[in-house]
Structures are given as structure tokens and as C-alpha cells.
Amino acid sequence: MLDAIDSRLLAEIQANAMLTAQELGERLNLSPSQAARRRQRLEAEGFVVGYAAKLSPAKVGLTVQAFVQVQMATHSPDAARSFGTLVATCPEIVSAWTLTGEADYLLRVWCADLPDLNRVIHTLLLPHPAVARVQSQIVMDQFKADAPLPT
């Protein structure tokens, strides 16, 4: 179970994973060694599953973000496995979910431009034998960035 200090620690490292033990200790009113031990324990217990840098899409040449809904023609295990492999090997697809409702999958896609998004949809997704329908929504603006999980 998490205590209040663990929750605060998780919130702090979600906001800035680069915090040193010294900085974390100052923010939590702990010694650096206590902060480091708590952080290590939370990592070992699986509360922290990794660290990553957030890149600026525009700086790396990505100007179009879209959500793509995919409806499958067939739901066999082989079709799902094959589609999962396609999704896993397409770098423009940055996250994917299975859904309830009309669409079977929701894909978050980042592309350089609209022709690149068109390529992903028309040369990668639609030709897949298990895909029946693809519907995309282009993001006009993201007014709330991907937020940390509530702790």
C-alpha cells in the first residue's frame, strides 16, 4: 500500500523523472537516502514501470496527430495477432487500444504531414486482410497534454 509520502513521491517523479535524491528529499522533507530508498522500493514493487523523455513532435518533424478507429472484418486469433504485429512494427502508431463498441481498435498516430497519414491508412492499415473499416479524426489542437496519473 502507498502512504502519503509515496503518493507525493510518485507525483514528483511523474512531473520530473530527472529529480536527484537530494531534490526529491527536499520536496518530501526526507533525507536524500530516505528518498532514494523509497524511490527504489516503488520501482522494485512495480509502481514505476520505466522512465522516458518526452519529445517535441514539431521539433522532430511530426505535424499531424490523428486518432484512427479500426473495425475488423474478422475476429479470429490469427487475424488479431497479425494486426497486432502490424501495429507494433509501424513507428507512426504511438499507442493502441482495444475497445468495446463499433470500433475494435483505437490507434494514436503521429505523422509528418497529411500525405504521410494517408500512406499509413491506405498502404498499411486498409490493405490488411482482417481490416474492414478505418475512420480517422485529425487532432486540431491538444489543449491538455498527456497528464500524470492521479496518485
Side-chain angles (χ1 to χ4, degrees), residues 46-108:
F47 288 94
V48 178
V49 295
Y51 296 94
K54 292 182 181 180
L55 304 182
S56 164
K59 291 282 188 184
V60 296
L62 301 172
T63 63
V64 175
Q65 179 180 201
F67 288 93
V68 179
Q69 295 178 12
V70 178
Q71 189 174 18
M72 303 299 275
T74 178
H75 294 89
S76 72
D78 287 342
R81 216 174 357 265
S82 173
F83 185 74
T85 299
L86 171 67
V87 168
T89 58
C90 180
E92 293 86 356
I93 301 171
V94 297
S95 50
W97 300 269
T98 57
L99 304 173
T100 61
E102 191 173 324
D104 296 300
Y105 297 95
L106 178 64
L107 312 176
R108 184 178 182 189

Side-chain angles (χ1 to χ4, degrees), residues 2-149:
L2 295 175
D3 65 19
I5 295 173
D6 290 338
S7 293
R8 287 181 34 226
L9 186 149
L10 291 172
E12 291 289 345
I13 63 173
Q14 279 190 100
N16 181 359
M18 301 287 290
L19 289 173
T20 65
Q22 176 71 37
E23 294 166 328
L24 201 50
E26 289 170 5
R27 292 174 188 222
L28 301 173
N29 295 320
L30 298 173
S31 71
S33 61
Q34 289 174 316
R37 279 195 301 273
R38 278 185 181 258
R39 183 181 201 158
Q40 288 170 346
R41 178 181 53 80
L42 292 169
E43 291 168 349
E45 291 177 358
F47 288 94
V48 178
V49 295
Y51 296 94
K54 292 182 181 180
L55 304 182
S56 164
K59 291 282 188 184
V60 296
L62 301 172
T63 63
V64 175
Q65 179 180 201
F67 288 93
V68 179
Q69 295 178 12
V70 178
Q71 189 174 18
M72 303 299 275
T74 178
H75 294 89
S76 72
D78 287 342
R81 216 174 357 265
S82 173
F83 185 74
T85 299
L86 171 67
V87 168
T89 58
C90 180
E92 293 86 356
I93 301 171
V94 297
S95 50
W97 300 269
T98 57
L99 304 173
T100 61
E102 191 173 324
D104 296 300
Y105 297 95
L106 178 64
L107 312 176
R108 184 178 182 189
V109 178
W110 273 101
C111 293
D113 50 29
L114 288 175
D116 196 28
L117 177 61
N118 186 56
R119 178 191 58 79
V120 169
I121 291 171
H122 287 95
T123 66
L124 297 176
L125 297 175
L126 283 173
H128 190 280
V131 172
R133 183 171 174 262
V134 171
Q135 181 178 359
S136 63
Q137 293 85 35
I138 296 171
V139 175
M140 300 297 290
D141 184 31
Q142 183 174 355
F143 64 92
K144 180 178 181 180
D146 296 337
L149 294 176

